[in-house]
Amino acid sequence: MLSSIPCEQCGAALQSRLFCFACSTLQHPPNTLGLYEALGLEESYSIDPPALESRFQQLVVELHPDFYTSADRREQHQSEISSALLNRAVETLRDPVSRANYLLPRLARGTPLDERRLPPGFLEEMFVLQESLDDLLDSGAPEAIGRTRTELQERHQTLLSDLPKHFRQAEAATEPEPLQALQTTLNAERYLRRLLERFPQS
Amino acid sequence: MAYSEKVVDHYQDPRNVGSFAKEEDGVGTGLVGAPECGDVMKLQIKVEGERIVDAKFKTFGCGSAIASSSLATEWVKGKTLDEAMEIRNTEIVEELSLPPVKIHCSVLAEDAIKAAIADYKSRAQP
């Protein structure tokens, strides 16, 4: 649910907590401001990428410190803080994995999760895969390397494409299991990503 | 980030890389992972009586994780199981001058030692 916080200057309902488009005034939000609030987007895993990008474009030109060089020190400082937050927000929310890693602890607030849990047998499997990659990459056999990479990429992709479904369940849930399932999935994602990083870039 | 000289030394010349057969008598295997970075570390000990006579490791991870586990194998060799249980990650941090962001690598190595000892004990007393 989007809150309707009024502009500090003109009182109009703010689209973004960083800037009022109605009267073109820099806002001074608390430094605990969340990334979704900064952009004025509803805090949900499922986002509309074009809306994210257009909101970023709208804000980036209004907040840039270059436009505040003749403003007073407080405004200069605020434009720097807000620009940094804006950049962090768009970089984090753009990427499906970093968005997930940002959102999960916020969803889980107050729910104790096992932050280290992996699917059963997963760690053993990752170790075996890492070892077999040593031999495979040494062998230099391009076909076998390509095949293995494709398999791992597909597995990683499947994990990513299941994230929206997992988040819909976790966002609607009152019990901790869907949150833990998400945490476990995101832990597994890092191991798969590390495996994929070992392949030569093509 | 710059690695300390000791980390570089262990990274370039890791001690005791390899493995023992898991089912071999006297062998204990610890397999641990760091989900925050995707590192995976296997540390194995070979025990005679109450003493660790040999150790091997294989780590897939950053330089600090490799150095921490390499150092851990050096330290456990010759120790009794009880003495090896006393090794603390903070000692590894100190020896390798690990920066705060790499402390979890030393935690991983301590966990790996404990997991290997636990595995040895569970196999020794079925």
Short mmCIF file of all heavy atoms in Angstrom, two decimals, chain B residues 49-97:
data_model
loop_
_atom_site.label_atom_id
_atom_site.label_comp_id
_atom_site.label_asym_id
_atom_site.label_seq_id
_atom_site.Cartn_x
_atom_site.Cartn_y
_atom_site.Cartn_z
N GLY B 49 44.63 -43.21 17.60
CA GLY B 49 44.44 -43.02 19.04
C GLY B 49 43.58 -41.80 19.26
O GLY B 49 42.48 -41.70 18.72
N GLU B 50 44.11 -40.84 19.99
CA GLU B 50 43.38 -39.60 20.23
C GLU B 50 43.98 -38.45 19.43
O GLU B 50 43.60 -37.30 19.60
CB GLU B 50 43.41 -39.26 21.74
CG GLU B 50 42.26 -39.84 22.54
CD GLU B 50 40.91 -39.24 22.16
OE1 GLU B 50 40.71 -38.04 22.38
OE2 GLU B 50 40.05 -39.98 21.63
N ARG B 51 44.99 -38.77 18.60
CA ARG B 51 45.76 -37.71 17.96
C ARG B 51 45.50 -37.63 16.46
O ARG B 51 45.35 -38.65 15.78
CB ARG B 51 47.25 -37.95 18.22
CG ARG B 51 48.12 -36.70 18.07
CD ARG B 51 49.49 -36.91 18.69
NE ARG B 51 49.48 -36.89 20.15
CZ ARG B 51 49.51 -35.79 20.89
NH1 ARG B 51 49.53 -34.60 20.32
NH2 ARG B 51 49.51 -35.85 22.20
N ILE B 52 45.46 -36.39 15.97
CA ILE B 52 45.29 -36.17 14.53
C ILE B 52 46.68 -36.27 13.88
O ILE B 52 47.57 -35.48 14.19
CB ILE B 52 44.67 -34.78 14.25
CG1 ILE B 52 43.27 -34.70 14.88
CG2 ILE B 52 44.61 -34.50 12.75
CD1 ILE B 52 42.66 -33.31 14.88
N VAL B 53 46.87 -37.26 13.03
CA VAL B 53 48.19 -37.47 12.46
C VAL B 53 48.34 -36.87 11.07
O VAL B 53 49.44 -36.65 10.58
CB VAL B 53 48.55 -38.97 12.41
CG1 VAL B 53 48.70 -39.52 13.83
CG2 VAL B 53 47.51 -39.77 11.62
N ASP B 54 47.19 -36.60 10.42
CA ASP B 54 47.27 -35.99 9.08
C ASP B 54 45.96 -35.25 8.82
O ASP B 54 44.94 -35.53 9.45
CB ASP B 54 47.49 -37.08 8.02
CG ASP B 54 48.15 -36.51 6.75
OD1 ASP B 54 48.39 -35.28 6.71
OD2 ASP B 54 48.42 -37.30 5.83
N ALA B 55 46.02 -34.31 7.89
CA ALA B 55 44.83 -33.53 7.54
C ALA B 55 44.91 -33.09 6.10
O ALA B 55 46.00 -32.86 5.57
CB ALA B 55 44.70 -32.32 8.47
N LYS B 56 43.76 -33.01 5.45
CA LYS B 56 43.69 -32.56 4.06
C LYS B 56 42.50 -31.61 3.91
O LYS B 56 41.53 -31.70 4.67
CB LYS B 56 43.44 -33.76 3.11
CG LYS B 56 44.55 -34.79 3.11
CD LYS B 56 45.60 -34.46 2.08
CE LYS B 56 46.64 -35.58 1.99
NZ LYS B 56 47.93 -35.03 1.53
N PHE B 57 42.59 -30.74 2.92
CA PHE B 57 41.43 -29.88 2.67
C PHE B 57 41.28 -29.62 1.19
O PHE B 57 42.23 -29.78 0.40
CB PHE B 57 41.57 -28.54 3.41
CG PHE B 57 42.36 -27.50 2.65
CD1 PHE B 57 41.70 -26.55 1.89
CD2 PHE B 57 43.74 -27.49 2.69
CE1 PHE B 57 42.42 -25.59 1.17
CE2 PHE B 57 44.47 -26.54 1.99
CZ PHE B 57 43.80 -25.59 1.23
N LYS B 58 40.06 -29.25 0.85
CA LYS B 58 39.82 -28.71 -0.49
C LYS B 58 38.74 -27.65 -0.34
O LYS B 58 37.68 -27.93 0.22
CB LYS B 58 39.35 -29.83 -1.44
CG LYS B 58 39.19 -29.34 -2.85
CD LYS B 58 39.90 -30.26 -3.84
CE LYS B 58 40.04 -29.58 -5.18
NZ LYS B 58 40.19 -30.52 -6.28
N THR B 59 39.03 -26.44 -0.79
CA THR B 59 38.11 -25.33 -0.62
C THR B 59 37.86 -24.65 -1.95
O THR B 59 38.80 -24.36 -2.68
CB THR B 59 38.69 -24.30 0.38
OG1 THR B 59 38.75 -24.90 1.67
CG2 THR B 59 37.82 -23.05 0.46
N PHE B 60 36.58 -24.43 -2.24
CA PHE B 60 36.22 -23.63 -3.40
C PHE B 60 35.70 -22.30 -2.87
O PHE B 60 34.59 -22.24 -2.33
CB PHE B 60 35.18 -24.35 -4.25
CG PHE B 60 35.69 -25.65 -4.81
CD1 PHE B 60 35.43 -26.86 -4.17
CD2 PHE B 60 36.48 -25.66 -5.95
CE1 PHE B 60 35.92 -28.06 -4.67
CE2 PHE B 60 36.97 -26.85 -6.46
CZ PHE B 60 36.69 -28.06 -5.82
N GLY B 61 36.52 -21.29 -2.98
CA GLY B 61 36.11 -20.00 -2.44
C GLY B 61 37.21 -18.99 -2.64
O GLY B 61 38.14 -19.19 -3.42
N CYS B 62 37.11 -17.91 -1.89
CA CYS B 62 38.05 -16.80 -2.06
C CYS B 62 39.41 -17.14 -1.43
O CYS B 62 39.56 -18.14 -0.73
CB CYS B 62 37.49 -15.53 -1.42
SG CYS B 62 37.38 -15.65 0.37
N GLY B 63 40.38 -16.28 -1.65
CA GLY B 63 41.72 -16.48 -1.11
C GLY B 63 41.73 -16.64 0.40
O GLY B 63 42.47 -17.48 0.94
N SER B 64 40.90 -15.88 1.10
CA SER B 64 40.87 -15.96 2.56
C SER B 64 40.32 -17.29 3.04
O SER B 64 40.76 -17.83 4.06
CB SER B 64 40.02 -14.84 3.14
OG SER B 64 40.54 -13.59 2.78
N ALA B 65 39.34 -17.83 2.32
CA ALA B 65 38.76 -19.11 2.71
C ALA B 65 39.79 -20.22 2.48
O ALA B 65 39.93 -21.14 3.30
CB ALA B 65 37.49 -19.39 1.90
N ILE B 66 40.52 -20.13 1.36
CA ILE B 66 41.54 -21.14 1.07
C ILE B 66 42.66 -21.06 2.12
O ILE B 66 43.07 -22.08 2.69
CB ILE B 66 42.10 -20.92 -0.36
CG1 ILE B 66 41.02 -21.33 -1.38
CG2 ILE B 66 43.39 -21.73 -0.58
CD1 ILE B 66 41.33 -20.93 -2.80
N ALA B 67 43.10 -19.83 2.42
CA ALA B 67 44.17 -19.66 3.41
C ALA B 67 43.72 -20.13 4.79
O ALA B 67 44.48 -20.79 5.51
CB ALA B 67 44.60 -18.19 3.46
N SER B 68 42.48 -19.83 5.18
CA SER B 68 41.98 -20.24 6.50
C SER B 68 41.96 -21.75 6.64
O SER B 68 42.35 -22.30 7.68
CB SER B 68 40.56 -19.70 6.73
OG SER B 68 40.56 -18.29 6.78
N SER B 69 41.53 -22.45 5.58
CA SER B 69 41.45 -23.90 5.68
C SER B 69 42.84 -24.52 5.57
O SER B 69 43.14 -25.53 6.22
CB SER B 69 40.48 -24.48 4.65
OG SER B 69 40.59 -23.83 3.41
N SER B 70 43.71 -23.93 4.77
CA SER B 70 45.08 -24.42 4.66
C SER B 70 45.77 -24.32 6.02
O SER B 70 46.38 -25.29 6.51
CB SER B 70 45.82 -23.58 3.61
OG SER B 70 47.20 -23.87 3.60
N LEU B 71 45.61 -23.16 6.67
CA LEU B 71 46.20 -22.96 8.00
C LEU B 71 45.59 -23.94 9.01
O LEU B 71 46.30 -24.52 9.84
CB LEU B 71 45.94 -21.52 8.45
CG LEU B 71 46.48 -21.13 9.81
CD1 LEU B 71 48.00 -21.13 9.81
CD2 LEU B 71 45.96 -19.73 10.22
N ALA B 72 44.28 -24.15 8.90
CA ALA B 72 43.60 -25.06 9.83
C ALA B 72 44.19 -26.47 9.76
O ALA B 72 44.40 -27.12 10.79
CB ALA B 72 42.10 -25.08 9.56
N THR B 73 44.49 -26.93 8.53
CA THR B 73 45.06 -28.28 8.42
C THR B 73 46.45 -28.33 9.06
O THR B 73 46.81 -29.31 9.70
CB THR B 73 45.18 -28.76 6.95
OG1 THR B 73 45.97 -27.81 6.21
CG2 THR B 73 43.83 -28.92 6.31
N GLU B 74 47.22 -27.24 8.90
CA GLU B 74 48.54 -27.20 9.55
C GLU B 74 48.41 -27.26 11.06
O GLU B 74 49.18 -27.94 11.73
CB GLU B 74 49.28 -25.90 9.17
CG GLU B 74 49.93 -25.92 7.81
CD GLU B 74 50.94 -24.77 7.67
OE1 GLU B 74 50.62 -23.66 8.12
OE2 GLU B 74 52.02 -25.02 7.10
N TRP B 75 47.45 -26.52 11.58
CA TRP B 75 47.31 -26.41 13.03
C TRP B 75 46.77 -27.69 13.69
O TRP B 75 47.13 -28.01 14.81
CB TRP B 75 46.40 -25.23 13.39
CG TRP B 75 47.12 -23.91 13.37
CD1 TRP B 75 48.45 -23.72 13.07
CD2 TRP B 75 46.59 -22.62 13.67
NE1 TRP B 75 48.76 -22.38 13.17
CE2 TRP B 75 47.65 -21.69 13.52
CE3 TRP B 75 45.32 -22.16 14.03
CZ2 TRP B 75 47.47 -20.32 13.74
CZ3 TRP B 75 45.15 -20.79 14.24
CH2 TRP B 75 46.21 -19.88 14.09
N VAL B 76 45.89 -28.40 13.01
CA VAL B 76 45.31 -29.58 13.67
C VAL B 76 46.28 -30.76 13.70
O VAL B 76 46.20 -31.61 14.58
CB VAL B 76 43.97 -30.05 13.03
CG1 VAL B 76 42.90 -28.99 13.18
CG2 VAL B 76 44.15 -30.46 11.57
N LYS B 77 47.19 -30.79 12.73
CA LYS B 77 48.13 -31.92 12.68
C LYS B 77 48.96 -31.99 13.95
O LYS B 77 49.57 -31.00 14.36
CB LYS B 77 49.08 -31.75 11.48
CG LYS B 77 48.53 -32.36 10.21
CD LYS B 77 49.70 -32.68 9.29
CE LYS B 77 49.40 -32.24 7.88
NZ LYS B 77 50.50 -32.63 6.98
N GLY B 78 48.98 -33.18 14.54
CA GLY B 78 49.76 -33.38 15.75
C GLY B 78 48.98 -33.07 17.02
O GLY B 78 49.43 -33.38 18.12
N LYS B 79 47.82 -32.43 16.88
CA LYS B 79 47.02 -32.12 18.07
C LYS B 79 46.12 -33.31 18.41
O LYS B 79 45.77 -34.12 17.55
CB LYS B 79 46.15 -30.89 17.82
CG LYS B 79 46.89 -29.57 17.87
CD LYS B 79 45.90 -28.41 17.95
CE LYS B 79 46.56 -27.10 18.33
NZ LYS B 79 47.54 -26.62 17.36
N THR B 80 45.75 -33.40 19.71
CA THR B 80 44.71 -34.36 20.09
C THR B 80 43.37 -33.78 19.65
O THR B 80 43.26 -32.59 19.33
CB THR B 80 44.68 -34.57 21.61
OG1 THR B 80 44.27 -33.34 22.23
CG2 THR B 80 46.03 -35.01 22.15
N LEU B 81 42.34 -34.63 19.65
CA LEU B 81 41.01 -34.16 19.24
C LEU B 81 40.54 -33.02 20.14
O LEU B 81 39.97 -32.03 19.68
CB LEU B 81 40.01 -35.32 19.27
CG LEU B 81 40.29 -36.42 18.25
CD1 LEU B 81 39.33 -37.60 18.47
CD2 LEU B 81 40.14 -35.90 16.82
N ASP B 82 40.81 -33.17 21.46
CA ASP B 82 40.38 -32.12 22.40
C ASP B 82 41.11 -30.81 22.14
O ASP B 82 40.51 -29.73 22.17
CB ASP B 82 40.62 -32.55 23.86
CG ASP B 82 39.63 -33.64 24.28
OD1 ASP B 82 38.61 -33.80 23.57
OD2 ASP B 82 39.88 -34.32 25.29
N GLU B 83 42.39 -30.91 21.84
CA GLU B 83 43.16 -29.69 21.56
C GLU B 83 42.66 -29.03 20.27
O GLU B 83 42.54 -27.80 20.20
CB GLU B 83 44.65 -30.02 21.40
CG GLU B 83 45.36 -30.34 22.71
CD GLU B 83 46.73 -31.01 22.50
OE1 GLU B 83 47.10 -31.33 21.34
OE2 GLU B 83 47.41 -31.23 23.52
N ALA B 84 42.34 -29.85 19.26
CA ALA B 84 41.87 -29.30 17.99
C ALA B 84 40.51 -28.61 18.17
O ALA B 84 40.23 -27.61 17.50
CB ALA B 84 41.77 -30.40 16.94
N MET B 85 39.70 -29.13 19.09
CA MET B 85 38.39 -28.52 19.36
C MET B 85 38.55 -27.11 19.94
O MET B 85 37.62 -26.31 19.91
CB MET B 85 37.58 -29.35 20.36
CG MET B 85 36.97 -30.62 19.79
SD MET B 85 35.77 -30.32 18.47
CE MET B 85 34.36 -29.74 19.43
N GLU B 86 39.73 -26.84 20.49
CA GLU B 86 39.97 -25.54 21.14
C GLU B 86 40.39 -24.46 20.15
O GLU B 86 40.48 -23.29 20.53
CB GLU B 86 41.08 -25.68 22.21
CG GLU B 86 40.71 -26.57 23.38
CD GLU B 86 39.51 -26.02 24.13
OE1 GLU B 86 39.52 -24.81 24.44
OE2 GLU B 86 38.55 -26.78 24.36
N ILE B 87 40.66 -24.84 18.91
CA ILE B 87 41.09 -23.82 17.92
C ILE B 87 39.92 -22.87 17.66
O ILE B 87 38.81 -23.30 17.39
CB ILE B 87 41.55 -24.48 16.60
CG1 ILE B 87 42.82 -25.31 16.85
CG2 ILE B 87 41.80 -23.41 15.52
CD1 ILE B 87 43.27 -26.12 15.65
N ARG B 88 40.22 -21.58 17.78
CA ARG B 88 39.17 -20.57 17.61
C ARG B 88 39.41 -19.79 16.33
O ARG B 88 40.55 -19.52 15.96
CB ARG B 88 39.17 -19.59 18.79
CG ARG B 88 38.72 -20.19 20.11
CD ARG B 88 37.20 -20.42 20.13
NE ARG B 88 36.79 -21.26 21.24
CZ ARG B 88 36.66 -22.59 21.16
NH1 ARG B 88 36.90 -23.23 20.04
NH2 ARG B 88 36.27 -23.28 22.22
N ASN B 89 38.32 -19.40 15.70
CA ASN B 89 38.44 -18.64 14.46
C ASN B 89 39.21 -17.34 14.67
O ASN B 89 39.90 -16.86 13.77
CB ASN B 89 37.05 -18.37 13.85
CG ASN B 89 36.36 -17.18 14.49
OD1 ASN B 89 35.95 -17.23 15.65
ND2 ASN B 89 36.29 -16.10 13.75
N THR B 90 39.12 -16.78 15.88
CA THR B 90 39.82 -15.51 16.14
C THR B 90 41.34 -15.69 16.03
O THR B 90 42.05 -14.76 15.64
CB THR B 90 39.48 -14.99 17.55
OG1 THR B 90 39.58 -16.07 18.48
CG2 THR B 90 38.08 -14.44 17.60
N GLU B 91 41.83 -16.89 16.34
CA GLU B 91 43.27 -17.14 16.20
C GLU B 91 43.65 -17.15 14.72
O GLU B 91 44.74 -16.71 14.34
CB GLU B 91 43.63 -18.49 16.84
CG GLU B 91 43.30 -18.58 18.33
CD GLU B 91 43.41 -20.00 18.85
OE1 GLU B 91 44.54 -20.40 19.19
OE2 GLU B 91 42.39 -20.73 18.89
N ILE B 92 42.76 -17.69 13.88
CA ILE B 92 43.01 -17.71 12.43
C ILE B 92 42.99 -16.28 11.89
O ILE B 92 43.85 -15.90 11.10
CB ILE B 92 41.95 -18.59 11.72
CG1 ILE B 92 42.08 -20.05 12.20
CG2 ILE B 92 42.07 -18.49 10.21
CD1 ILE B 92 40.98 -20.97 11.72
N VAL B 93 42.01 -15.49 12.36
CA VAL B 93 41.92 -14.08 11.95
C VAL B 93 43.22 -13.36 12.26
O VAL B 93 43.78 -12.63 11.43
CB VAL B 93 40.75 -13.38 12.67
CG1 VAL B 93 40.80 -11.86 12.45
CG2 VAL B 93 39.41 -13.93 12.20
N GLU B 94 43.72 -13.61 13.48
CA GLU B 94 44.93 -12.92 13.92
C GLU B 94 46.14 -13.36 13.10
O GLU B 94 46.91 -12.54 12.61
CB GLU B 94 45.14 -13.24 15.40
CG GLU B 94 46.09 -12.30 16.09
CD GLU B 94 46.14 -12.60 17.59
OE1 GLU B 94 45.11 -13.00 18.18
OE2 GLU B 94 47.22 -12.46 18.16
N GLU B 95 46.29 -14.68 12.94
CA GLU B 95 47.45 -15.20 12.22
C GLU B 95 47.50 -14.70 10.77
O GLU B 95 48.55 -14.39 10.25
CB GLU B 95 47.40 -16.75 12.25
CG GLU B 95 48.44 -17.45 11.41
CD GLU B 95 49.87 -17.31 11.96
OE1 GLU B 95 50.02 -16.91 13.13
OE2 GLU B 95 50.82 -17.60 11.20
N LEU B 96 46.32 -14.63 10.14
CA LEU B 96 46.28 -14.26 8.72
C LEU B 96 45.98 -12.78 8.50
O LEU B 96 45.91 -12.34 7.35
CB LEU B 96 45.22 -15.10 7.99
CG LEU B 96 45.46 -16.62 7.94
CD1 LEU B 96 44.26 -17.31 7.30
CD2 LEU B 96 46.73 -16.96 7.16
N SER B 97 45.80 -12.04 9.58
CA SER B 97 45.42 -10.61 9.49
C SER B 97 44.21 -10.42 8.58
O SER B 97 44.23 -9.59 7.66
CB SER B 97 46.57 -9.75 8.98
OG SER B 97 47.77 -10.06 9.63
#
